[in-house]
């Protein structure tokens, strides 16, 4: 192993993170969130860039301190090259490049979505390929067929909103702060998932659509509030449970179709929405029924983190990739 200690840096959206990967173990995994967006109901890109600038040095220092290392001790610097918010990517990318330039350590730019998949290898270094991975985050919803560590094909993807956006925008309609996914998860535990019905998206094959379900929540709340202005307050737990149930059911219906089609060796969850307790529980049930082992990352590796960036960096470096100082960030999938 040429690259046994890797510093990972993540700044694609609204979390500033740094982590140390060492021979397959995570020695430090530091994440600074950005409360500044809460009151806006979504991430404000310019505020995110500024918060990354103030967080990135202390977060990296903290990761090195926790791992008991100096910057000279790392073998390479991995950072999120994209996709993400352009300003946020620039902050992490330029910081990583500065570190690489001043220390002479190799640099590796990582695709954030591939890194969500690499998060699986932290706890399962020897999975059974191909892995069928349901990647569900605030920006993406995809079914990926992972053929080897960093080789993957998108076999299904959302045509409009991501699953995380459906959670967050739904939460906003109910008057909950951003990001609403974890709150819907929390309140759903206290409600009846079958009390209300929200129709699933109608797109073919393994693709997804969440705009319909979101719009149906919007009109449902509007109509009910006309009848009773306190409707959301009174029924919050049931609305959360039913809305979550509709999203999770839809995600898993498509996942079952993909399992049938590809007969994978492992099935896996990745991305922030995989922290959802209903999704995790039902996903394990699918594993039980099909007999295909499920890989579900620990919470800290599901939501955005730099441990997954360092892990992805390791696999890319070992297969001969490095990134030069002139590399630009990319905003969308596929460079
Ligand atoms: O992967 P991630 O941290 O960031 C992106 O790359 O987008 O995902 C963030 C998304 C947000 O939409 C958030 O609401 C959602 O993950 N999320 C959840 C839960 N925890 C985070 N959604 C539903 N249930 C949760 N427990
Ligand atoms: Zn993410």
């Amino acid at each position: 192993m040429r690259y046994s200690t890797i510093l990972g840096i993540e700044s694609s959206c609204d979390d500033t993170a740094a982590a140390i990967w060492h021979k397959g173990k995570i020695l430090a995994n530091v994440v600074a969130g950005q409360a500044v967006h809460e009151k806006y109901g979504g991430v404000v890109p310019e505020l995110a860039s500024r918060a990354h600038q103030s967080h990135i040095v202390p977060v990296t220092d903290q990761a090195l301190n926790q791992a008991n290392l100096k910057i000279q001790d790392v073998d390479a610097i991995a950072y999120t090259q994209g996709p993400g918010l352009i300003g946020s990517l620039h902050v992490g990318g330029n910081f990583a490049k500065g570190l690489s330039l001043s220390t002479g350590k190799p640099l590796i730019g990582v695709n954030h979505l591939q890194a969500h998949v690499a998060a699986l290898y932290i706890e399962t270094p020897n999975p059974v390929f191909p892995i069928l991975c349901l990647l569900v985050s605030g920006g993406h919803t995809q079914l990926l067929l992972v053929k080897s560590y960093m080789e993957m094909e998108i076999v299904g993807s959302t045509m409009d909103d991501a699953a995380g956006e459906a959670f967050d925008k739904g939460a906003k309609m109910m008057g909950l702060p951003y990001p609403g996914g974890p709150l819907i998860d929390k309140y759903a535990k206290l409600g009846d998932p079958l009390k209300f019905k929200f129709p699933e998206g109608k797109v073919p094959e393994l693709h997804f659509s969440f705009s319909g379900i979101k719009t149906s929540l919007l009109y449902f709340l509007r109509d009910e509030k006309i009848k009773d202005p306190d409707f959301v307050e009174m029924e919050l737990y049931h609305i959360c449970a039913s809305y979550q149930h509709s999203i999770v059911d839809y995600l898993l219906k498509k996942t079952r179709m993909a399992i049938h089609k590809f007969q994978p060796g492992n099935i896996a969850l990745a991305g922030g929405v995989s922290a959802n307790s209903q999704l995790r529980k039902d996903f394990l049930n699918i594993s039980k029924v099909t007999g295909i082992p499920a890989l579900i990352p620990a919470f800290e590796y599901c939501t955005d983190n730099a441990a997954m960036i360092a892990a992805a960096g390791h696999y890319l470096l070992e297969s001969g990739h490095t990134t030069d100082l002139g590399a630009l960030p990319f905003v969308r999938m596929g460079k």
Side-chain angles (χ1 to χ4, degrees), residues 136-177:
V136 271
S137 74
H140 297 86
T141 300
Q142 293 173 340
L143 279 163
L144 297 164
L145 192 64
V146 186
K147 296 168 183 174
S148 65
Y149 286 96
M150 296 307 282
E151 189 201 347
M152 51 198 88
E153 185 190 336
I154 302 169
V155 294
S157 140
T158 182
M159 308 292 222
D160 41 54
D161 286 349
E165 268 178 294
F167 272 105
D168 295 337
K169 290 179 181 171
K172 192 178 173 188
M173 293 175 208
M174 295 179 228
L176 302 173

Side-chain angles (χ1 to χ4, degrees), residues 233-253:
E233 240 166 75
M234 304 291 295
E235 297 286 335
L236 182 63
Y237 298 160
H238 298 313
I239 305 169
C240 286
S242 301
Y243 187 63
Q244 172 176 287
H245 175 74
S246 308
I247 296 175
V248 169
D249 245 29
Y250 181 50
L251 288 170
L252 294 182
K253 179 179 159 184

Side-chain angles (χ1 to χ4, degrees), residues 62-303:
Q62 202 182 327
L64 286 165
N65 285 340
Q66 272 181 21
N68 222 348
L69 294 174
K70 303 246 174 300
I71 187 67
Q72 293 77 12
D73 301 325
V74 309
D75 296 320
I77 296 151
Y79 73 99
T80 307
Q81 195 179 351
L85 299 171
I86 187 71
S88 296
L89 291 168
H90 268 303
V91 176
N94 286 335
F95 179 67
K97 286 174 190 173
L99 281 180
S100 167
L101 191 64
S102 59
T103 59
K105 307 287 176 184
L107 185 70
I108 181 78
V110 169
N111 179 316
H112 180 88
L113 300 167
Q114 288 190 331
H116 271 298
V117 172
L120 302 169
Y121 312 141
I122 294 170
E123 292 159 298
T124 312
N126 296 302
V128 186
F129 294 107
I131 306 170
L132 180 80
C133 180
L134 174 66
L135 170 61
V136 271
S137 74
H140 297 86
T141 300
Q142 293 173 340
L143 279 163
L144 297 164
L145 192 64
V146 186
K147 296 168 183 174
S148 65
Y149 286 96
M150 296 307 282
E151 189 201 347
M152 51 198 88
E153 185 190 336
I154 302 169
V155 294
S157 140
T158 182
M159 308 292 222
D160 41 54
D161 286 349
E165 268 178 294
F167 272 105
D168 295 337
K169 290 179 181 171
K172 192 178 173 188
M173 293 175 208
M174 295 179 228
L176 302 173
Y178 176 86
L183 281 174
I184 291 188
D185 189 0
K186 182 174 158 193
Y187 297 144
K189 291 194 174 91
L190 306 165
D192 173 2
L194 302 177
K195 178 146 189 192
F196 306 114
K197 284 241 161 317
F198 301 102
E200 60 175 43
K202 296 259 180 294
V203 286
E205 298 168 19
L206 300 175
H207 299 302
F208 300 90
S209 165
F210 289 98
S211 60
I213 199 171
K214 202 184 62 187
T215 310
S216 83
L217 176 68
L218 181 72
Y219 291 143
F220 171 72
L221 295 180
R222 182 198 62 186
D223 294 347
E224 293 297 330
K225 278 197 279 191
I226 293 171
K227 290 183 242 162
D228 175 2
D230 296 330
F231 177 76
V232 175
E233 240 166 75
M234 304 291 295
E235 297 286 335
L236 182 63
Y237 298 160
H238 298 313
I239 305 169
C240 286
S242 301
Y243 187 63
Q244 172 176 287
H245 175 74
S246 308
I247 296 175
V248 169
D249 245 29
Y250 181 50
L251 288 170
L252 294 182
K253 179 179 159 184
K254 297 282 179 162
T255 305
R256 273 194 220 90
M257 283 166 61
I259 293 173
H260 189 70
K261 183 164 178 187
F262 296 110
Q263 302 289 321
N266 279 155
I267 54 173
L269 277 180
V273 180
S274 60
N276 184 268
S277 43
Q278 185 70 48
L279 182 62
R280 293 167 88 92
K281 194 168 133 245
D282 292 353
F283 201 77
L284 283 176
N285 261 333
I286 293 185
S287 164
K288 229 168 136 185
V289 170
T290 57
I292 304 170
L295 314 179
I296 303 185
F299 285 106
E300 67 263 39
Y301 303 136
C302 284
T303 46

Side-chain angles (χ1 to χ4, degrees), residues 8 17-21 26 28-29 118-119 122 300-301 305-312:
I20 306 288
W21 181 101
I26 301 301
N29 186 25
I122 294 170
E300 67 263 39
Y301 303 136
N305 67 87
M308 68 183 195
I309 305 298

